[in-house]
Amino acid sequence: MKRILIGLGLACLLAGPAPAQRPSLEEMRARMDQEVSEIGVYRELLADPDPTRSLAAMKAMLESGDLELQAIALEYGLFSPSPIVRRRALESFLASKPVLDVVMETPAEMHPSSSVTGAYLDAFKMRAGSIDPQKGGAYVGLRIGDHDPEKGCLVEAGGSECVARVTSGGLSIRPWTEWWLLTLNEEGEAVGMGQIPGAGSFPVRVPLR
């Protein structure tokens, strides 16, 4: 009898856990309909004819910590024809303390002995950035922290230096010593020119997501 029980036990172990049952088409459709319905409700909140309620809904969604809700609200705000709504969208997005991916165009040819190249490389090294000339870009993560009311800016997470602020023209960031004024494009990015000390100015973009 013991041999039988041991054999059954080994058989169960070898068989492993039972595979998860595949949901039926009806279950998938039901889940999809529920998801679409829920997203539709949030979009209705954003489209409220009362601008005060609409702005409040956008702000709450952007600061919710829910990535999907943030994406819906940010898309609504950034592509709004109203400059007030666009500004509020940027402010609320930055209040969620995101990490901004600052993407700067890398010169096609970088001569190792050039002082400009040295300054360029040193700047990115200082910020633990990455440079890939083959892909035509250099990348720096700008960690947004708290808002400093006295300085009128957002400081870097874990620090006290100003790194971002929202202006009437769009978004300004300061990865190094100079402020870069960026404007919103149709792809939901902040774009403009960025200056690196000792290296010059280069096209820059910051995807907002």
Side-chain angles (χ1 to χ4, degrees), residues 18-203:
Q21 185 177 359
R22 178 181 297 175
S24 66
L25 288 176
E26 289 73 17
E27 290 173 329
M28 291 292 291
R29 288 195 181 98
R31 292 179 189 177
M32 181 183 68
D33 290 341
Q34 181 180 359
E35 184 75 15
V36 170
S37 176
E38 289 177 356
I39 292 175
V41 171
Y42 289 114
R43 291 192 185 279
E44 287 177 7
L45 291 175
L46 292 170
D48 194 296
D50 184 341
T52 302
R53 290 175 60 85
S54 176
L55 282 173
M58 182 183 69
K59 183 175 184 294
M61 291 167 66
L62 284 169
E63 297 177 5
S64 67
D66 185 296
L67 295 179
E68 187 172 7
L69 291 185
Q70 286 178 332
I72 294 171
L74 190 61
E75 179 186 14
Y76 167 81
L78 293 182
F79 293 101
S80 170
S82 167
I84 296 176
V85 174
R86 290 197 299 272
R87 178 165 185 151
R88 291 291 182 270
L90 272 175
E91 290 173 342
S92 297
F93 173 63
L94 294 175
S96 68
K97 300 180 180 180
V99 177
L100 299 180
D101 292 327
V102 181
V103 185
M104 179 169 284
E105 189 174 298
T106 303
E109 294 184 4
M110 301 180 69
H111 302 286
S113 60
S114 167
S115 61
V116 171
T117 298
Y120 189 91
L121 297 175
D122 288 345
F124 278 91
K125 183 178 180 181
M126 181 183 73
R127 278 206 158 272
S130 62
I131 301 175
D132 190 346
Q134 298 297 324
K135 295 182 179 180
Y139 309 85
V140 165
L142 205 58
R143 297 166 57 243
I144 303 300
D146 295 321
H147 179 264
D148 188 321
E150 293 185 0
K151 296 179 179 179
C153 69
L154 292 134
V155 299
E156 190 163 14
S160 59
E161 294 295 322
C162 290
V163 291
R165 63 189 180 195
V166 179
T167 67
S168 58
L171 172 67
S172 288
I173 60 173
R174 190 173 70 168
W176 287 281
T177 58
E178 302 293 331
W179 281 103
W180 305 351
L181 177 59
L182 310 177
T183 57
L184 301 180
N185 65 12
E186 296 181 354
E187 283 72 45
E189 299 175 327
V191 297
M193 298 296 291
Q195 184 175 8
I196 294 182
S201 299
F202 307 90

